[in-house]
Amino acid sequence: MASNSKPRITPDQLRSARWFGPADLRSFGHRSRAMQMGYAEEDWKGKPVIGILNTWSDINPCHQHFRVRAEEVKRGVWQAGGFPLEIPALALPENYMKPTTMLYRNMLAMEAEEIIRCHPLDGVVLMGGCDKTTPGLLMGAISAGLPAIYMPAGAMLRGYWNGHTLGSGSDSWKFWDELRAGNITEADWQGVEGGIARSWGTCMTMGTASTMMSATEALGMALPGSSSIPAPDSAHARMATACGRRIVAMVWEDMRPTDIVTEASVENAVRAVIATGGSTNAMIHMLAIARRAGVPLDLERFDALSRTTPYLVNLRPAGKYLMEDFYYAGGLRAMLAAMAPLLRLDAMTAAGVTLGEAIKGAKILNPDVIATLDKPLKPEGGLALLRGNLCPDGAVIKHAAADPRLHVHTGPAVVFSDYNDMARRIDDPGLDVTADSVLVLQSAGPIGGPGMPEWGMLPLPKKLLRQGVRDMVRISDARMSGTSYGTCVLHVSPESAVGGPLALVKTGDTITLDVPSRRLTLNISDAEMAGRRAAWVAPKPHYARGFGLLHSREVTQAHEGCDYRVLEGTAPTPEPEIH
Ligand code: FES
């Protein structure tokens, strides 16, 4: 097995030895308190101390197996001669936290970084999966800088109801529209409710969770093959134990996140996002992750990689299958092997081998699920960066999941000033809206949301649903769930709450979307735009104190990754003094 070129470290060079080693009063305290927990010197002396950052909670259904998995990670740590210590971290349950988990991604990133820094740890296993947990843990671990490996939660089993295979999110929206259109009954809807989430694990469409787990494996921060294993599979438990063994070796090899997260590996991760037809959220998270490692990445690079990376994986919401099918078809390793000519194969992985070695021999077992470069599902990726006077700093669209009829479209705007305004009026029979209208939602960005909620797939007006309309152009500074679909222009930057042009759109203005030309245009003159800007009044801030105020002051815009300014970059943070 190839390994990191850095010299191995010795037991007395372990970081934890500063806590446990010295013959002084402070270390006496550390040792005696370890004994209080039932450990003896044989447990820690000369051994890497491995923190297991566990995002389990009773209110995160996607991580319900993490209590058991943490024990399986510990088994691996013990097997390899390490000393495991499980430490809880913010669970970020995607569909319970309000207004949105994105408001708290950076809180987890801060928490992870400081947990790692302040404790006597030599390396960490990052247990995550539900959408924001993956970027949050990675961002924190990269900034903390200790050896780290990511253990993906894995996706739940396929959903099932009445002969239908159900996909997380996607089929909720689909059947909700059918209910509103009067095509299914309340009893049908309840059947969908009971069948759409059948086991622990993350959403099993290629939503944000599956996208970010796959991206993290392609980035090299997870074991090869780990991200595709379904959460309830016994292989998942064995993978958890393998993570425990491997992190101990990584400590001895002194293999740090910055040895793995490089320009080459970030590019591999972005290409993986595109080839899987992954979530638009990945664009924000990958920018933030790359910036933590000092790797330059911007939306232009994302767009360039999208134009040169084919869409290969036939998974919902853009395709047909689910994560369980992806696993049986060979999983991410098979997809990466199929696109090997596009990848930087010399990038290092947490397994201690290069990406090229990690994917060697992987085969596609079902070509209907995973396509090849010579016969891709689509020759280009499904994510595009848009520019224009409505989004000077960019906006994104997942055109692979949009009706191709609407890729080039001009229509009159119907503007909603915020989410509540939209909720109040969208189903009003008197709303002046047609299938050609462009629905515009303001005040849904990083500050305006706050936290940039996943409101970007605006619901279609009920009266149009009843006419059979199933897609319209929608524009907002919000994000959209990775399980969503439709012609939704997202992440408009700068956002409306800071006076971006989105704030200046009025009902009746015409807007032109042109995906092939990557343009989004508000069809008013520059003079008119300048006049409206001069008259614009900033909205009242959401927060006068607390974390929300900190967020509002520090958060960057979508095209910058929505990290906090104070957390970005690679400036060194001193190790804690031990007194
Ligand atoms: Fe946890 Fe979708 S709700 S991954």
Side-chain angles (χ1 to χ4, degrees):
M1 200 184 247
S3 68
N4 192 10
S5 54
K6 283 187 183 174
R8 293 169 66 94
I9 62 166
T10 58
D12 58 312
Q13 292 171 321
L14 288 171
R15 181 173 181 268
S16 60
R18 294 177 59 220
W19 274 261
F20 290 110
D24 60 16
L25 180 61
R26 185 52 61 203
S27 296
F28 160 88
H30 300 146
R31 290 189 296 266
S32 67
R33 291 299 178 154
M35 289 171 149
Q36 180 186 9
M37 293 188 280
Y39 297 113
E41 194 179 67
E42 290 78 1
D43 289 311
W44 72 75
K45 190 159 185 206
K47 294 183 175 183
V49 179
I50 304 300
I52 300 170
L53 265 60
N54 190 350
T55 51
W56 174 89
S57 107
D58 253 342
I59 198 163
N60 191 335
C62 307
H63 297 176
Q64 283 305 288
H65 51 322
F66 272 12
R67 269 190 163 167
V68 180
R69 291 290 178 273
E71 295 305 314
E72 288 150 352
V73 173
K74 287 179 196 170
R75 187 168 74 216
V77 174
W78 287 122
Q79 284 172 3
F83 177 31
L85 292 171
E86 183 182 346
I87 304 174
L90 197 58
L92 298 184
E94 184 61 26
N95 49 25
Y96 285 109
M97 287 183 92
K98 307 298 174 197
T100 164
T101 48
M102 188 61 185
L103 185 61
Y104 300 102
R105 180 201 68 180
N106 297 343
M107 181 185 264
L108 173 61
M110 273 195 284
E111 185 191 23
E113 178 178 348
E114 297 308 324
I115 283 175
I116 295 169
R117 185 169 291 122
C118 71
H119 287 105
L121 303 178
D122 298 300
V124 283
V125 178
L126 310 167
M127 297 179 64
C130 193
D131 293 23
K132 312 302 178 294
T133 56
T134 302
L137 288 168
L138 284 180
M139 289 157 69
I142 290 168
S143 294
L146 295 187
I149 192 168
Y150 171 76
M151 196 221 79
M156 68 176 95
L157 298 176
R158 298 184 194 100
Y160 177 82
W161 166 71
N162 209 17
H164 297 273
T165 298
L166 300 179
S168 311
S170 310
D171 280 304
S172 315
W173 327 128
K174 189 176 112 187
F175 283 102
W176 178 239
D177 280 350
E178 296 307 326
L179 182 72
R180 293 170 69 225
N183 295 334
I184 64 168
T185 65
E186 275 294 337
D188 292 335
W189 177 239
Q190 281 165 21
V192 172
E193 188 173 296
I196 201 162
R198 294 174 44 233
S199 76
W200 54 38
T202 65
C203 294
M204 72 333 233
T205 40
M206 189 49 80
T208 305
S210 297
T211 303
M212 289 310 300
M213 290 190 289
S214 302
T216 304
E217 182 180 326
L219 185 68
M221 287 295 291
L223 289 179
S226 59
S227 67
S228 310
I229 306 172
D233 197 301
S234 65
H236 195 272
R238 295 192 294 278
M239 177 273 290
T241 304
C243 287
R245 286 194 297 270
R246 179 61 200 151
I247 187 62
V248 177
M250 288 172 76
V251 171
W252 293 126
E253 292 165 7
D254 199 20
M255 186 184 226
R256 312 235 173 190
T258 45
D259 296 322
I260 297 171
V261 184
T262 61
E263 197 176 336
S265 69
V266 166
E267 188 171 309
N268 290 335
V270 171
R271 284 202 191 271
V273 168
I274 293 158
T276 55
S279 163
T280 44
N281 283 323
M283 299 174 88
I284 295 177
H285 299 321
M286 285 307 307
L287 291 176
I289 290 166
R291 283 166 180 237
R292 289 293 187 104
V295 173
L297 179 67
D298 57 26
L299 289 176
E300 268 73 17
R301 186 75 188 127
F302 228 107
D303 194 54
L305 291 169
S306 184
R307 287 175 189 263
T308 55
T309 306
Y311 168 45
L312 295 178
V313 174
N314 191 7
L315 257 59
R316 299 184 204 181
K320 175 177 169 192
Y321 293 101
L322 296 171
M323 283 301 287
E324 201 180 332
D325 306 297
F326 186 43
Y327 178 58
Y328 302 144
L332 190 78
R333 282 182 70 242
M335 186 201 82
L336 294 175
M339 61 188 286
L342 297 176
L343 298 174
R344 311 269 293 264
L345 297 175
D346 56 343
M348 185 50 70
T349 73
V353 300
T354 63
L355 184 69
E357 291 167 288
I359 61 176
K360 200 180 275 170
K363 291 214 169 15
I364 296 172
L365 303 174
N366 184 346
D368 201 33
V369 179
I370 305 174
T372 51
L373 286 185
D374 54 339
K375 246 178 124 186
L377 294 167
K378 290 201 177 120
E380 273 194 32
L383 301 176
L385 163 67
L386 303 171
R387 292 277 190 194
N389 67 347
L390 191 46
C391 52
D393 290 331
V396 306
I397 183 167
K398 186 174 184 174
H399 56 95
D403 187 336
R405 242 178 357 98
L406 295 170
H407 286 186
V408 179
H409 178 84
T410 298
V414 176
V415 180
F416 302 102
S417 59
D418 60 24
Y419 184 88
N420 290 333
D421 179 36
M422 180 198 70
R424 235 181 352 257
R425 295 197 290 130
I426 193 77
D427 286 338
D428 181 347
L431 184 69
D432 187 10
V433 64
T434 72
D436 286 334
S437 300
V438 173
L439 304 179
V440 174
L441 176 64
Q442 299 168 328
S443 307
I447 295 169
M452 213 179 169
E454 292 184 337
W455 296 335
M457 188 177 75
L458 277 70
L460 303 183
K462 205 186 251 179
K463 68 178 181 186
L464 297 182
L465 282 172
R466 293 207 164 125
Q467 292 166 19
V469 176
R470 288 295 180 272
D471 197 5
M472 292 173 70
V473 176
R474 290 159 268 183
I475 300 173
S476 71
D477 43 13
R479 295 174 302 115
M480 167 173 100
S481 163
T483 61
S484 299
Y485 52 85
T487 311
C488 304
V489 176
L490 311 160
H491 309 184
V492 168
S493 187
E495 64 172 306
S496 52
V498 298
L502 190 71
L504 312 178
V505 185
K506 292 184 176 168
T507 292
D509 291 342
T510 66
I511 295 175
T512 301
L513 168 66
D514 185 342
V515 176
S517 306
R518 304 295 204 249
R519 302 298 294 170
L520 182 68
T521 311
L522 176 62
N523 298 308
I524 61 172
S525 67
D526 291 347
E528 173 67 17
M529 181 86 90
R532 291 186 191 182
R533 179 166 294 119
W536 179 75
V537 179
K540 208 167 141 266
H542 281 286
Y543 300 103
R545 62 164 300 281
F547 176 74
L549 182 62
L550 174 78
H551 170 88
S552 308
R553 284 178 179 164
E554 288 293 331
V555 72
T556 62
Q557 289 289 295
H559 69 284
E560 300 165 307
C562 296
D563 202 353
Y564 292 165
R565 290 178 187 89
V566 73
L567 297 174
E568 283 187 320
T570 56
T573 305
E575 276 281 301
E577 301 274 349
I578 301 179
H579 300 298

